[in-house]
Amino acid sequence: HGLNCYQTYGPPFFDDDLSEYLDENYAGLKLHHFLRTTPVATLPMYHLVGALDPLTSAEEVDPVNDGHPEHLEEWIVRDGLTHLKIKLNGDDLCWDVERILSVDDVVEKSRARSKRDTANYSLDFNERCPNVEYLLEVLHQVKDRNPRAYDRVQYVEQPTSRDLDVWCPLHEAAKLKPIVLDEGLLGYGSLLQAIELGYTGVAFKACKGQSSSLLLAAAAQHLGLFCCVQDLTCPGASLIHSAGLAAHIPGVQAIEANSRQYLPAANEAWSKRFPGVFDIRDGVMHTGQLTGLGLGAVPV
């Protein structure tokens, strides 16, 4: 059942009391109270900067020559990128700091050509920060050396282990930037546990299930958490579902979509049907066209 179906038929799931799925704090609340009936027109798109990805032509080692950009500077200019997800090591503090600063340098050099004035970064340490002190030191060093780059950090993704039972409080870091739960999000219980550890945001993924993602999105809004939608190189139809999820959850700040980087051929057939989702310009995904059944994936 989807949003358009709800407007017509009112499926039980959308009209059920959320306390049946979450807890007594949601008594009297319904899922449709936390969802858009029409998708947001556009969402900023996060572009992945892998740890091995070249930032400039000088760093290219083995060009693919497939007609797509070969390094970050080309991607920024072609797609008008404003949001970059920076992959970091989590166990090499100097490298992590230098990588953030190097990416910011490329962004600055590309601004005139891309004609984009804004920039936002998410930092992904791949769960490898040993403790909150490591994360704090990275953030402090970036701020000391380049306040502009620090200000552009929009959030930090799952810096420590997804195993939330390995107690690692993140409250001090959360005073600086939103700390987003990703791999550790297994359900409502893990969301509450993460909040106790200092997490202040949550990332949703369509591959974790549409229904559970929608319920957790309602909980995240109710709890005042930062929200974003992330991606596991979702191509074609799976990206449509991910974009539909992001476009219908109020407050989602941005969406990741890196299949256009790593397997663009898988998107070719779908790009004709949903050009604004697969053909990124001005750094945004045009999600307003996702008005079909469900979360917009099936054209009416």
Side-chain angles (χ1 to χ4, degrees):
H1 296 297
L3 298 184
N4 293 46
C5 292
Y6 171 76
Q7 294 169 28
T8 305
Y9 305 110
F13 178 68
F14 274 71
D15 205 37
D16 284 348
D17 194 292
L18 285 179
S19 62
E20 296 182 28
Y21 302 94
L22 301 172
D23 61 34
E24 65 278 2
N25 293 310
Y26 298 84
L29 298 175
K30 310 297 177 70
L31 184 58
H32 61 83
H33 294 157
F34 297 94
L35 296 174
R36 301 179 189 274
T37 55
T38 57
V40 67
T42 62
L43 279 171
M45 192 213 66
Y46 261 102
H47 173 98
L48 180 65
V49 184
L52 300 179
D53 288 353
L55 303 184
T56 66
S57 58
E59 298 180 8
E60 287 183 30
V61 176
D62 186 17
V64 180
N65 295 317
D66 62 352
H68 294 281
E70 300 280 358
H71 54 79
L72 177 61
E73 189 173 6
E74 286 185 332
W75 280 111
I76 292 173
V77 173
R78 193 196 76 169
D79 292 356
L81 301 176
T82 59
H83 288 59
L84 302 176
K85 173 176 178 172
I86 305 173
K87 284 282 189 178
L88 301 168
N89 278 327
D91 58 4
D92 187 337
L93 193 145
C94 291
W95 190 94
D96 286 346
V97 171
E98 291 299 330
R99 186 63 167 178
I100 297 168
L101 299 180
S102 295
V103 168
D104 190 69
D105 285 342
V106 172
V107 169
E108 279 303 290
K109 292 174 183 176
S110 305
R111 284 179 65 187
R113 294 176 60 201
S114 64
K115 299 180 181 179
R116 306 302 294 171
D117 294 329
T118 60
N120 291 270
Y121 308 143
S122 66
L123 307 182
D124 183 2
F125 293 87
N126 287 318
E127 309 175 55
R128 297 179 65 181
C129 291
N131 47 51
V132 70
E133 288 77 19
Y134 181 99
L135 174 57
L136 287 169
E137 186 61 24
V138 169
L139 293 174
H140 287 317
Q141 286 197 26
V142 170
K143 186 175 183 179
D144 289 343
R145 293 179 58 185
N146 187 340
R148 177 194 64 217
Y150 175 83
D151 290 341
R152 288 172 169 173
V153 176
Q154 187 180 39
Y155 68 92
V156 177
E157 174 187 336
Q158 189 87 45
T160 57
S161 172
R162 71 185 65 189
D163 184 357
L164 300 180
D165 290 329
V166 178
W167 193 257
C168 184
L170 297 167
H171 301 84
E172 289 304 309
K175 294 176 182 177
L176 304 178
K177 300 290 181 180
I179 309 298
V180 168
L181 180 68
D182 179 18
E183 290 88 352
L185 182 64
L186 304 177
Y188 184 55
S190 61
L191 177 62
L192 297 181
Q193 185 179 3
I195 292 172
E196 290 183 8
L197 289 173
Y199 283 88
T200 53
V202 60
F204 308 111
K205 287 178 175 164
C207 63
K208 286 189 174 183
Q210 296 277 11
S211 296
S212 60
S213 293
L214 292 174
L215 287 169
L216 291 170
Q221 292 172 69
H222 191 62
L223 294 167
L225 301 177
F226 176 97
C227 296
C228 57
V229 169
Q230 295 184 340
D231 161 78
L232 287 172
T233 312
C234 293
S238 60
L239 178 57
I240 293 294
H241 281 276
S242 183
L245 190 70
H248 288 90
I249 299 173
V252 165
Q253 298 295 307
I255 179 173
E256 287 180 15
N258 61 50
S259 60
R260 79 193 207 298
Q261 297 174 246
Y262 300 118
L263 54 155
N267 292 332
E268 290 178 359
W270 285 89
S271 64
K272 297 179 177 64
R273 297 172 63 185
F274 300 94
V277 173
F278 294 93
D279 185 17
I280 303 301
R281 293 295 179 266
D282 297 324
V284 300
M285 182 181 289
H286 289 269
T287 50
Q289 67 186 113
L290 299 176
T291 56
L293 299 179
L295 291 172
V298 182
V300 177

